[in-house]
Amino acid sequence: MYGERPVVICTKYRGVFFGYAEDTHGATVQLYRARMCVYWDNALHGVLGLASDGPSSECRVGPAVPQIELRGVSAVIEVTPEAVTKWEAAPWS
């Protein structure tokens, strides 16, 4: 079952992921419909911009996978509804 909360998750391994999670407590999180951002535009002003504004057309966001288990979670960031729409578009330039 897919989670209800859209989040951006950062890992201690420098991974930045978007997806849906039910339980975000602990160092390991199950993320559903997960996408990885491998590059984001400087105009977003960092990873918090990915959560508040969403990726721009200059970002590189990979395709979704049904589920991923992320280990070494260092941050869980709420995603705005506007940003969700952009994440779902998965820009890759």
Side-chain angles (χ1 to χ4, degrees):
M1 180 175 177
Y2 292 137
E4 297 295 325
R5 181 176 168 218
V7 292
V8 167
I9 294 183
C10 302
T11 70
K12 69 181 183 179
Y13 309 106
R14 303 185 74 188
V16 177
F17 300 86
F18 164 80
Y20 301 86
E22 291 178 352
D23 182 7
T24 56
H25 297 90
T28 301
V29 171
Q30 297 293 324
L31 197 62
Y32 301 94
R33 293 176 287 173
R35 298 175 185 274
M36 182 178 190
C37 185
V38 297
Y39 171 81
W40 57 89
D41 186 16
N42 285 336
L44 290 172
H45 304 286
V47 73
L48 295 181
L50 287 169
S52 64
D53 300 326
S56 70
S57 61
E58 300 301 314
C59 296
R60 294 188 182 118
V61 176
V65 297
Q67 180 179 349
I68 187 171
E69 183 176 282
L70 296 173
R71 299 178 184 180
V73 171
S74 59
V76 178
I77 309 160
E78 289 287 331
V79 176
T80 66
E82 298 80 16
V84 168
T85 301
K86 292 179 183 177
W87 274 102
E88 293 292 352
W92 187 286
S93 68

